């Protein structure tokens, strides 16, 4: 199997090139480096067949890399990556021994493959399995042993200290973790992305995401002396883990600040490079591997904390806000809900807000919240359907579904089918310029007869019912949004703002601004 290394300081370029070909299928083992020095070190350790290098890189640029390869008599082919139209760098590189060049702007998979196969031909396109070296087999074995260690570390079942340490030793994970912590990363919208990715794309993403995390930790900006191990507890899952050993770090005082900055970078780059939202949590610093495992498992409560907040980075100290206890007043509130469904809007809205406040303030675990949803269905004798990823989504769905339940109960109390249909139509179209004539025509009744029948069936006349629909919608938005009052009034069906303000004060008792502040 032919060995190729890509040297480029641009993470996006390296990722693009790595995804451009199915390297193994074409008989290549791929390495990469973010500067010439890294590439040179790898070339000295491995028998690299081809070096694909950018010219402009920090630490050691492409020109210096080519000189060093020739000086050390390393027998590898050299391909130059160029984005310069005048080829000044390319010409100089060719003089030093580069054999070909590729322009980044014109690069295609076929063009790259053609150049690689021309420089290092194989008798067959498929990789020769018999050519796998002993060292390559050893690398495959080490990866398997590392996977065994991370599986045991991430497993919720208890592991003995001796077993964990033995697995770490076999996997050649040399960090002592005498001063170490664990970091959990959750890609919050990963399941949606997974549905549209092909198998090859998933593999390329995993490699690119791992490299992104590696680069963030190795950034000289923080000068962090640490050893890190990046893993996925379950393949293709939304979660990623990083074990960090600070054995070589002398300054404990700055670790919290640096770790928070690293988590911010991870969330920022996940969005920037992969268009994926991420939340991160880091454990307290531990002094041995078994304790580190226990604290790692506690980080999964990030699901509960991120559900109630807009935060994206957390420490273990933040988790004390999460409780799995149901508040004492919550069962009583749930029991009251069926009774207030038929009461006036003030009583109904008050209990609804009381329930939501109890849930939000208690920071219930998501498992506990699902139990409460089941209890709501039992009490209301209904099947409420929730699909939420945040408390804001749960709150919105709860309000909408309870209002729908209330409207359905109101309509079921109306005996005449035409008026039931009229009420349903008003509840849906109240924002429009409705008239009694319009609704009467909709239910095929004479307007005069409709007016009499509507009041007899609902206990109120048509215009008052319509106004109450609009006012209830306005009051709900006043308490749940920061939109301008005039915009709310207009959108909920009040075309005349001055009339709306007078009407609101007359019926509610306070003006809209005072109602919002209350």
């Amino acid at each position: 199997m032919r060995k190729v290394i890509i040297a480029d300081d641009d993470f996006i370029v390296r990722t693009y090139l790595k995804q451009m070909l199915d390297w193994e299928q074409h008989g290549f083992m791929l390495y990469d480096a973010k500067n010439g020095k890294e590439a040179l070190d790898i070339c000295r350790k491995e028998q690299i067949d081809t070096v694909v290098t950018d010219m402009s890189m920090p630490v050691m640029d492409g020109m210096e890399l080519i000189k060093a390869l020739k000086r050390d008599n390393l027998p590898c082919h050299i391909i130059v990556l160029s984005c310069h139209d005048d080829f000044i760098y390319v010409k100089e590189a060719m003089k030093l021994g580069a054999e070909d060049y590729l322009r980044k702007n014109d690069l295609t998979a076929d063009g790259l493959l053609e150049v690689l196969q021309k420089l290092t031909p194989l008798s067959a396109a498929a990789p020769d399995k018999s050519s796998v070296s002993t060292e390559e087999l050893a690398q495959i074995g080490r990866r398997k042993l590392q996977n065994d260690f991370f599986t045991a570390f991430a497993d919720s079942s208890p592991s003995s200290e001796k077993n964990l340490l033995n697995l770490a030793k076999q996997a050649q994970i040399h960090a002592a973790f005498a001063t170490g912590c664990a970091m959990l990363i959750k890609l919050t919208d990963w399941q949606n992305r997974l549905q549209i990715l092909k198998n090859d794309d998933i593999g390329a993403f995993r490699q690119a995401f791992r490299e992104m995390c590696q680069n963030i930790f190795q950034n000289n900006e923080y000068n962090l002396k640490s050893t890190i191990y990046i893993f996925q507890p379950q393949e293709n899952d939304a979660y990623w883990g990083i074990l960090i050993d600070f054995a070589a770090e002398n300054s404990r005082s700055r670790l919290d600040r640096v770790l928070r900055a690293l988590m911010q970078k991870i969330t920022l780059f996940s969005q920037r490079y992969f268009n994926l939202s991420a939340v991160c949590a880091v454990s307290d610093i531990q002094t041995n591997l078994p304790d580190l495992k226990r604290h790692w498992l506690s980080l999964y409560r990030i699901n509960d904390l991120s559900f109630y907040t807009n935060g994206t980075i957390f420490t273990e100290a933040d988790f004390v806000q999460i409780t799995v206890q149901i508040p004492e007043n919550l069962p009583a509130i749930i029991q009251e809900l069926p009774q207030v469904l038929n009461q006036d809007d003030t009583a109904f809205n008050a209990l609804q807000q009381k329930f939501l406040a109890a849930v939000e303030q208690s920071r219930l675990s998501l498992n506990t919240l699902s139990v409460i949803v089941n209890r709501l269905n039992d009490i209301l004798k209904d099947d409420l359907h929730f699909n939420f990823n945040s408390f804001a989504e749960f709150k919105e769905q709860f309000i909408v579904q309870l209002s729908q339940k209330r409207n359905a109960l109101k309509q079921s109390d109306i005996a005449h089918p035409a008026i039931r249909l009229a009420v349903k139509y008003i509840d849906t179209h109240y924002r429009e310029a409705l008239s009694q004539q319009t609704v009467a025509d909709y239910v095929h009744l004479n307007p005069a007869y409709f007016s009499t029948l509507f009041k007899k069936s609902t206990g109120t006349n048509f215009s008052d019912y319509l106004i109450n629909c609009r006012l209830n919608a306005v009051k709900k938005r006043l308490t749940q949004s920061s939109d301008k009052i005039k915009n709310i009034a207009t959108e909920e069906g009040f075309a005349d703002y001055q009339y709306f303000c007078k009407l609101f004060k007359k019926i509610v008792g306070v003006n809209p601004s005072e109602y919002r502040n209350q």
Side-chain angles (χ1 to χ4, degrees), residues 48-49 116 137 165 173 176 189 230 247 265 302 322 332 354 360 367 382 403 405-406 410 471 486 511:
I48 299 296
D49 297 292
L116 289 169
L137 290 173
L165 293 175
I173 294 176
D189 38 6
I230 304 170
K265 278 281 182 73
I302 191 176
I322 297 292
K354 191 176 179 181
E360 183 175 18
N367 286 337
D382 207 340
S403 296
K405 173 73 174 176
R406 188 167 185 240
K410 277 200 260 182
L471 283 179
K486 186 174 182 179
N511 64 44

Side-chain angles (χ1 to χ4, degrees), residues 155-435:
D155 189 1
S156 58
S157 59
S159 300
S160 69
E161 180 175 359
K162 184 177 180 181
N163 183 45
L164 272 179
L165 293 175
N166 283 340
L167 286 171
K169 184 177 180 181
Q170 292 170 10
Q172 297 186 14
I173 294 176
H174 301 295
F177 293 105
T179 307
C181 68
M183 185 180 292
L184 178 71
I185 305 165
K186 180 186 179 185
L187 303 175
T188 54
D189 38 6
W190 173 245
Q191 292 304 319
N192 293 331
R193 179 67 58 84
L194 194 60
Q195 294 176 5
I196 61 175
L197 289 179
K198 299 177 182 178
N199 289 337
D200 290 345
D201 295 332
I202 295 171
F205 167 82
R206 293 178 67 205
Q207 182 177 347
F209 189 82
R210 185 186 300 274
E211 181 177 340
M212 181 199 77
C213 295
Q214 188 86 33
N215 288 344
I216 289 172
F217 272 83
Q218 291 178 348
N219 193 320
N220 290 330
E221 174 185 349
Y222 307 111
N223 195 28
L224 186 66
K225 300 178 182 66
S226 64
T227 304
I228 68 166
Y229 298 94
I230 304 170
F231 64 100
Q232 233 182 338
Q234 294 185 24
E235 189 171 314
N236 299 335
D237 201 3
Y239 298 96
W240 286 77
I242 304 179
L243 299 186
I244 313 163
D245 182 78
F246 300 112
E249 178 62 53
N250 297 320
S251 175
R252 289 285 300 273
S253 60
R254 71 187 187 95
L255 285 181
D256 288 344
R257 176 175 55 83
V258 171
L259 286 170
R260 187 170 288 273
L262 289 168
M263 289 192 291
Q264 287 174 338
K265 278 281 182 73
I266 289 171
T267 58
L268 175 65
F269 286 6
S270 295
Q271 187 69 56
R272 179 183 296 173
Y273 292 139
F274 304 111
N275 195 29
L276 284 167
S277 300
V279 291
C280 300
V282 66
S283 74
D284 295 336
I285 294 174
Q286 301 302 310
T287 57
N288 62 73
L289 202 51
D291 281 346
L292 191 57
K293 171 177 176 170
R294 285 191 289 273
H295 283 258
W296 154 265
L297 293 173
S298 74
L299 295 181
Y300 279 94
R301 299 177 75 191
I302 191 176
N303 291 321
D304 299 326
L305 194 55
S306 61
F307 178 78
Y308 289 99
T309 70
N310 294 322
T312 56
I313 59 174
F314 304 99
T315 65
E316 270 197 89
D318 296 316
F319 292 167
V320 298
Q321 301 177 46
I322 297 292
T323 173
V324 296
Q325 299 296 321
I326 297 178
E328 293 182 4
N329 64 335
L330 202 52
I333 294 174
I334 295 173
Q335 292 288 350
E336 286 183 61
L337 281 171
Q339 282 75 46
V340 298
L341 287 175
N342 289 315
Q343 293 181 20
D344 62 75
D345 292 337
T346 302
F348 171 71
N349 290 333
L351 192 67
Q352 182 174 250
Q353 295 302 321
K354 191 176 179 181
F355 168 82
L356 292 169
V359 173
E360 183 175 18
Q361 292 167 9
S362 301
R363 298 283 194 259
L364 300 174
S365 71
L366 297 186
N367 286 337
T368 306
L369 188 56
S370 66
V371 172
I372 288 175
V373 169
N374 291 335
R375 183 62 180 146
L376 277 172
N377 282 326
D378 292 340
I379 293 292
L380 297 174
K381 295 180 173 54
D382 207 340
D383 187 15
L384 303 180
H385 299 285
F386 292 90
N387 180 21
F388 46 77
N389 293 306
S390 67
F391 178 73
E393 291 180 0
F394 170 78
K395 180 178 180 180
E396 180 182 1
Q397 292 173 26
F398 175 83
I399 291 172
V400 168
Q401 294 198 53
L402 232 62
S403 296
Q404 291 173 346
K405 173 73 174 176
R406 188 167 185 240
N407 289 336
L409 286 173
K410 277 200 260 182
Q411 292 172 22
S412 66
D413 291 337
I414 300 173
H416 200 287
I419 302 304
R420 283 203 302 271
L421 183 61
V423 166
K424 185 175 181 181
Y425 184 82
I426 297 168
D427 290 344
T428 304
H429 298 272
Y430 67 86
R431 295 181 179 87
E432 302 169 12
L434 285 186
S435 67

Side-chain angles (χ1 to χ4, degrees), residues 65-135:
L65 172 60
I66 296 172
K67 292 176 182 178
L69 291 171
K70 296 302 180 182
R71 184 179 62 245
D72 291 0
N73 293 316
L74 295 172
C76 53
H77 302 286
I78 299 172
I79 301 173
V80 173
L81 287 175
S82 172
C83 55
H84 298 277
D85 290 333
D86 56 8
F87 302 119
I88 293 175
Y89 294 103
V90 173
K91 292 175 183 177
E92 187 64 28
M94 301 291 266
K95 290 178 183 178
L96 292 173
E99 297 164 77
D100 213 330
Y101 68 90
L102 295 166
R103 288 188 58 194
K104 291 182 182 179
N105 294 341
D106 301 330
L107 194 57
T108 64
D110 290 341
L112 175 60
L113 185 59
E114 180 182 353
V115 172
L116 289 169
Q117 290 179 335
K118 179 179 68 176
L119 293 178
T120 53
L122 274 187
S123 57
D128 182 1
K129 301 296 182 182
S130 63
S131 68
V132 179
S133 67
T134 303
E135 182 183 350

Side-chain angles (χ1 to χ4, degrees), residues 469-487:
C469 280
R470 292 170 175 170
L471 283 179
N472 287 336
V474 168
K475 287 191 289 184
K476 185 180 294 185
R477 287 185 60 182
L478 286 174
T479 59
Q480 295 174 12
S481 79
S482 57
D483 296 342
K484 291 183 179 180
I485 295 174
K486 186 174 182 179
N487 292 344

